[in-house]
Amino acid sequence: MRLSFPASGGWITGSGPTLKTVNPATGTITAEIGTPTASEVAAACEAALQAARQPAWRRLKPHQRAAMLHRIADELTREGETLAHLQMVENGKSLKECRAQAASAAATFRYYAAVCETLEAAMPPSRGEYVNFTLHQPYGVVAAITPWNSPLTMEAQKVAPALAAGNAVILKPSELTTLPGLELARVCERAGLPPGLMSVLPGHGRDVGATLLNHPAIGMISFTGGTATGRMIAETAARRLIPTALELGGKSPHIIFDDADLDAACAGVLDGIFEGMGQSCVAGSRLFVQRGAHDAVVARLCEAVRKLRIGTPDAVDTDLGPLASMAHRERVEGYVALARNDGGRIAAGGKRPDHLDCERGAYYLPTIITGLSNEARVCREEIFGPVLCVIPFDNEADLVRQANDTVYGLACGIWSPDFKRAWRVAEAIEAGTVWINTYKQLSIAAPFGGFKESGLGREKGLTGLRLYQQTKSIYIATA
Ligand code: NAD
């Protein structure tokens, strides 16, 4: 049976080709989903614009929108287990990680409910016989395009602030992971969100996604995905002269100075690259270790990595599940082969695990590579898999030069008890997020985004709401 999706104010099956999603742990088909034709995409965009313009939604006061977001958060909390399973059977992440991400989706809606209740607008000091103040108004219809690695969190991070800002949203989830987005739409409906304000258009980016972004009803694009796709989307947005927020790829440096607490640093490095099988935009994939500590760090990491439990994503003791698809595993294997050819030493992993059915499941061992310089292709290109390259450095200047020698600028981690040094390096690193003596701590209250080719604009925090609004200045004469 082909699953339907919410569009044009109801649920339709779609007359486009059937999209099949696959469980990467078993190779079996998870769902068959209808996709929209170009005319169904157009109808969905027009219906969303109508819904966004309805006075009942446009004039809803922010505290009333907050009540709606709280109801969505309540439903998401009730549905947490279902949502976690839906993500797990499409992208293979461990159930414990999926559960944490489902909880984070609910927390995101609560955060933006609170923002609606408390946000203030500016009233600049008057420069004449008038008062002047600022309104922040929605764009109308926001197109949200998401990747497959963490749909639960990414989709909440776009849908919650876009609705909080007063828009309608059309979500185009990754073709690999459609079910969490469909469930989010069902949750919104149950919470009482009026029809047409939350649509989901399943399908491939090159057809459904591109058709969506070119429709004149779309007033703003919020995209998370790869840098090459982001560049294409920016071109569309430039041609259409509409704003776009881009959260893109990364090749983040993780740094250990020789005075660091090596136990804590190695634990942070392991989580930073291997959690979610390295399929995280902020994965710390280039590890820079001060030369004196290099061999000790590699030995510790190799010992610890062998203790990680690779297994089926739903098993309680699984640390790491499969990669998200067979095609992605092949891509990761290609990079490891490249590292070998370039003279890299595989210090751990570098192959499929023996104890799992790797014909059906996209399993791969977490891999540590040494002996390459920052110039090697595996150190320059985003692998988006469980592959860590360890590179020595001599001093702070050498480190900063190497760490910044990348087109990306998403995140960075620094391990050292010398606060002044950590602060200097944090300031010098070209990245949107820097962690000191921790890694991958993320707060919905803190702005998030990339420098350089890792993105444009900032999601999350108060700026995450303003991203979905345009500013209007109003002057009223007082004399
Ligand atoms: P991708 O760029 O291949 O696809 C992302 C989304 O864009 C999918 O929904 C896809 O269907 C759609 N798409 C593709 N071509 C399109 C087009 N021409 N028009 C409209 N939509 C199109 O990325 P992916 O493989 O799904 O995800 C992995 C990438 O996402 C990695 O590079 C990762 O770093 C990045 N990512 C970034 C962040 C961040 O916050 N910076 C977070 C998660 C993932």
Side-chain angles (χ1 to χ4, degrees), residues 302-321:
C302 289
E303 195 191 329
V305 96
R306 287 190 194 102
K307 294 189 186 139
L308 291 174
R309 289 158 304 195
I310 326 276
T312 53
D314 55 350
V316 277
D317 58 353
T318 289
D319 295 313
L320 302 177

Side-chain angles (χ1 to χ4, degrees), residues 192-249:
L193 189 74
L197 290 173
M198 166 69 187
S199 311
V200 180
L201 300 181
H204 288 272
R206 61 181 176 272
D207 39 47
V208 175
T211 309
L212 170 67
L213 300 188
N214 279 297
H215 194 278
I218 300 302
M220 191 269 173
I221 303 170
S222 180
F223 172 79
T224 299
T227 294
T229 317
R231 196 169 270 120
M232 277 194 290
I233 284 171
E235 282 167 13
T236 303
R239 190 168 25 78
R240 294 209 41 228
L241 276 181
I242 57 172
T244 176
L246 303 172
E247 298 287 357
L248 308 177

Side-chain angles (χ1 to χ4, degrees), residues 248-331:
L248 308 177
K251 193 75 194 174
S252 298
H254 208 152
I255 299 158
I256 303 182
F257 282 99
D258 59 8
D259 57 357
D261 170 346
L262 292 191
D263 286 335
C266 288
V269 166
L270 277 189
D271 270 359
I273 177 67
F274 296 129
E275 192 196 35
M277 285 293 276
Q279 302 167 120
S280 158
C281 53
V282 294
S285 49
R286 291 181 300 149
L287 175 63
F288 292 98
V289 186
Q290 199 159 12
R291 204 171 291 278
H294 178 273
D295 293 354
V297 164
V298 170
R300 274 170 199 247
L301 288 174
C302 289
E303 195 191 329
V305 96
R306 287 190 194 102
K307 294 189 186 139
L308 291 174
R309 289 158 304 195
I310 326 276
T312 53
D314 55 350
V316 277
D317 58 353
T318 289
D319 295 313
L320 302 177
L323 284 156
S325 69
M326 293 293 193
H328 188 44
R329 181 175 64 185
E330 270 180 36
R331 203 174 153 266

Side-chain angles (χ1 to χ4, degrees), residues 27 32 43 104 123 133 169 183 201 216 226 231 264 353 361 402 408 434 455:
E32 301 197 14
S104 131
M123 184 165 162
F133 52 93
V169 186
E183 193 60 23
L201 300 181
R231 196 169 270 120
Q402 293 198 66
Y408 294 110
V434 178

Side-chain angles (χ1 to χ4, degrees), residues 355-376:
H355 69 289
L356 289 162
D357 181 354
C358 293
E359 290 303 308
R360 294 207 173 85
Y363 295 99
Y364 197 71
L365 287 177
T367 298
I368 299 176
I369 300 172
T370 60
L372 290 175
S373 80
N374 192 47
E375 305 300 315

Side-chain angles (χ1 to χ4, degrees), residues 182-194:
L182 292 179
E183 193 60 23
L184 174 59
R186 251 179 232 115
V187 159
C188 290
E189 198 174 280
R190 279 204 296 275
L193 189 74

